[in-house]
């Protein structure tokens, strides 16, 4: 009767262990890369309702009325809505997405966090009280 070669058994065990370790490392890397690809970098956009239009509070938008908002697919987005219009009620809805910020009166702020769709697309955002004057385009790309 031959006894199993102990060195051989050890080598097989070691290969098994290394393989398991590699699988763990590769899958962990995969998870990290996948979340990066899905736009894990979250974004906060402050929309100010003022003089019956939306403006974005940022240097690059330079106060343009109802600016086009562009986000990445799968990106985590927080929209902050602030109402600077005295005596007016404003809200913000993105049509076709389940995004609906509650109505706020002057001086009030509300916020909503959501994940942008996984597929690119174009949507309309608007204030449901003033949909003709307060509307813009929300692009997912
Ligand atoms: Cu409004």
């Amino acid at each position: 009767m031959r006894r199993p070669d102990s060195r051989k058994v050890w080598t097989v065990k070691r290969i098994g262990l290394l393989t398991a370790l590699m699988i763990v490392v590769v899958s962990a890397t995969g998870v990290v890369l996948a979340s990066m690809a899905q736009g894990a970098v979250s974004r906060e956009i402050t929309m100010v309702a003022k003089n019956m239009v939306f403006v974005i509070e940022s240097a690059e938008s330079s106060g343009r009325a109802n600016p086009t908002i562009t986000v990445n697919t799968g990106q985590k987005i927080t929209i902050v809505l602030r109402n600077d219009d005295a005596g007016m009620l404003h809200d913000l809805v993105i049509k076709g997405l389940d995004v609906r910020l509650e109505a706020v009166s002057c001086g009030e702020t509300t916020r909503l966090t959501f994940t942008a769709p996984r597929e690119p697309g174009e949507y309309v955002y608007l204030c449901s009280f003033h949909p003709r004057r307060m509307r813009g385009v929300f692009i997912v790309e």
Side-chain angles (χ1 to χ4, degrees):
M1 229 170 67
R2 288 182 58 198
R3 299 185 56 195
D5 185 340
S6 67
R7 251 170 55 192
K8 210 171 186 175
V9 169
W10 188 79
T11 304
V12 168
K13 270 188 184 165
R14 193 169 61 169
I15 288 171
L17 196 70
L18 279 175
T19 306
L21 198 70
M22 271 171 65
I23 288 169
V24 168
V25 168
V26 166
S27 29
T29 308
V31 167
V32 169
L33 287 178
S35 58
M36 280 168 70
Q38 283 164 12
V41 180
S42 59
R43 203 172 136 201
E44 186 172 294
I45 303 163
T46 299
M47 302 284 281
V48 181
K50 195 174 186 175
N51 301 323
M52 299 294 287
V53 292
F54 288 111
V55 291
I56 291 183
E57 261 198 347
S58 75
E60 66 267 29
S61 89
S62 60
R64 219 154 11 94
N66 302 321
T68 296
I69 303 169
T70 305
V71 303
N72 298 326
T73 54
Q75 191 174 26
K76 193 176 163 192
I77 309 291
T78 298
I79 295 184
V80 178
L81 170 64
R82 194 179 84 218
N83 184 351
D84 277 3
D85 263 344
M88 288 285 177
L89 210 57
H90 298 298
D91 67 3
L92 198 158
V93 174
I94 302 179
K95 306 271 268 179
L97 298 180
D98 192 19
V99 176
R100 184 172 287 272
L101 279 84
E102 60 179 347
V104 283
S105 48
C106 188
E108 284 185 337
T109 295
T110 188
R111 60 170 56 220
L112 183 75
T113 299
F114 64 98
T115 303
R118 304 261 171 244
E119 298 294 320
E122 249 186 68
Y123 304 86
V124 169
Y125 72 83
L126 51 80
C127 166
S128 56
F129 298 98
H130 315 99
R132 284 164 182 256
R133 295 184 60 175
M134 302 178 75
R135 77 158 56 217
V137 179
F138 182 83
I139 297 174
V140 180
E141 66 176 22

